[in-house]
Amino acid sequence: ETGVTQTPRHLVMGMTNKKSLKCEQHLGHNAMYWYKQSAKKPLELMFVYNFKEQTENNSVPSRFSPECPNSSHLFLHLHTLQPEDSALYLCASSQEMGREGQPQHFGDGTRLSIL
Amino acid sequence: QKEVEQNSGPLSVPEGAIASLNCTYSDRGSQSFFWYRQYSGKSPELIMSIYSNGDKEDGRFTAQLNKASQYVSLLIRDSQPSDSATYLCAVNTGGGYNKLIFGAGTRLAVHP
């Protein structure tokens, strides 16, 4: 059982489509994260939100647009993606960004394939 | 650039043996260290955290930290086929923020 839920689990889209990934955490955390995981590469941090405010954008292309309406929900809006964007997108949460040492808990991810 | 290095493996060990997974990191200011287990097609699952030099044991798992050598390891005793997974080392970047840098992971294969 995971306290972080991601939908959809799988997504196939064309390069001109617009879609959104959703993440919801039930752990009472205040920080939420988006990561990209490509084959044989380390997890890449994309965005961080702390108490609904974006605190980190790790030089992510503008075709990825995050949204955090509250501390429990996080979205990643996708548009005009490229084939190299195909990857596993993971959402994570922790108590808060400003407290070092808090473990991050991950959702099951969305496997994204760009045609 | 802050980095976390792991041997990609695969590390193959027989059932019942001790599996030793290693990780080095570049940021001397790091204070928090985590090991995650990731089964194929699944999300990373936190299995150990360690904050002080020395050993920390939890069941069959022991995490070892040496900040002077910038080295953290994970020992798995009595390895089981169900331990076969990729193990990710994650290091907090320091500076008071909860930002993790991940290694690429070591794939462990435990064979009967």
Side-chain angles (χ1 to χ4, degrees):
Chain A
E1 180 184 344
T2 174
V4 182
T5 304
Q6 290 188 244
T7 55
R9 293 294 311 279
H10 302 274
L11 179 61
V12 180
M13 56 187 287
M15 289 191 285
T16 58
N17 291 157
K18 292 183 179 181
K19 296 287 184 183
S20 296
L21 310 184
K22 179 182 176 182
C23 176
E24 182 175 2
Q25 59 94 3
H26 310 276
L27 300 170
H29 290 163
N30 292 301
M32 297 187 78
Y33 310 77
W34 279 118
Y35 287 89
K36 175 183 179 182
Q37 187 175 35
S38 303
K40 300 188 186 302
K41 293 178 67 176
L43 270 72
E44 300 172 51
L45 180 64
M46 300 174 71
F47 301 103
V48 182
Y49 279 82
N50 194 44
F51 292 95
K52 303 189 301 178
E53 299 297 321
Q54 188 180 121
T55 58
E56 183 102 10
N57 177 338
N58 202 21
S59 302
V60 180
S62 59
R63 57 185 183 269
F64 295 91
S65 176
E67 178 189 1
C68 188
N70 55 61
S71 292
S72 299
H73 294 84
L74 185 65
F75 296 88
L76 188 62
H77 304 298
L78 316 172
H79 63 97
T80 324
L81 295 192
Q82 304 299 309
E84 62 266 27
D85 297 323
S86 297
L88 180 66
Y89 289 83
L90 291 162
C91 173
S93 70
S94 70
Q95 287 190 347
E96 59 183 271
M97 181 62 174
R99 292 177 60 191
E100 185 178 333
Q102 302 303 309
Q104 295 180 17
H105 299 267
F106 286 84
D108 284 338
T110 295
R111 174 68 63 183
L112 176 65
S113 298
I114 306 300
L115 300 178
Chain B
Q1 185 172 349
K2 298 173 182 177
E3 294 182 340
V4 176
E5 299 287 342
Q6 293 181 258
N7 189 319
S8 62
L11 174 65
S12 183
V13 301
E15 184 173 357
I18 296 175
S20 178
L21 305 163
N22 305 315
C23 172
T24 59
Y25 60 95
S26 62
D27 184 6
R28 286 196 167 274
S30 298
Q31 298 293 325
S32 308
F33 307 86
F34 305 91
W35 283 99
Y36 287 82
R37 177 176 62 198
Q38 187 174 25
Y39 292 112
S40 180
K42 299 293 187 180
S43 65
E45 173 192 9
L46 179 70
I47 54 172
M48 288 288 284
S49 59
I50 187 166
Y51 305 98
S52 304
N53 279 328
D55 295 359
K56 178 181 178 183
E57 186 175 320
D58 183 0
R60 294 187 297 112
F61 298 100
T62 298
Q64 299 175 317
L65 175 61
N66 184 326
K67 291 183 182 178
S69 300
Q70 295 175 241
Y71 176 93
V72 57
S73 65
L74 179 70
L75 301 178
I76 306 175
R77 289 182 300 282
D78 188 24
S79 296
Q80 302 297 310
S82 59
D83 294 325
S84 298
T86 297
Y87 289 80
L88 306 177
C89 173
V91 176
N92 194 290
T93 59
Y97 292 97
N98 201 36
K99 180 177 171 181
L100 297 181
I101 303 294
F102 283 83
T106 297
R107 189 158 65 88
L108 173 66
V110 181
H111 53 84

